[in-house]
């Protein structure tokens, strides 16, 4: 319902690096997910559904 503040949406922080994670979309399609901005050095990722909870 209240989608107005979606521009400044919450972003998870990588548990390993302490940096903000980036929104990733797989080239082959599928669900978007959060990936560490240090990828590929850091392979931490979170599913978006879980990140919203
Ligand atoms: Zn990381």
């Amino acid at each position: 319902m209240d989608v107005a503040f979606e521009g400044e949406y919450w972003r998870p922080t990588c548990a390993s690096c302490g940096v903000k994670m980036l929104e990733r979309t797989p080239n082959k399609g599928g669900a978007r997910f959060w990936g560490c901005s240090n990828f590929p050095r850091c392979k931490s990722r979170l599913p978006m559904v879980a990140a919203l909870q």
Side-chain angles (χ1 to χ4, degrees):
M1 292 177 201
D2 195 354
V3 200
F5 58 91
E6 195 162 285
E8 189 63 34
Y9 54 86
W10 178 81
R11 285 203 219 177
T13 301
C14 178
S16 302
C17 314
V19 299
K20 292 289 185 182
M21 301 185 87
L22 302 175
E23 195 176 326
R24 304 283 193 186
T25 305
N27 287 331
K28 55 187 174 184
R32 291 185 300 169
F33 60 91
W34 296 107
C36 181
S37 54
N38 285 332
F39 183 87
R41 278 185 296 158
C42 174
K43 298 203 166 46
S44 292
R45 56 166 65 186
L46 288 172
M48 282 215 173
V49 177
L52 292 174
Q53 293 173 352

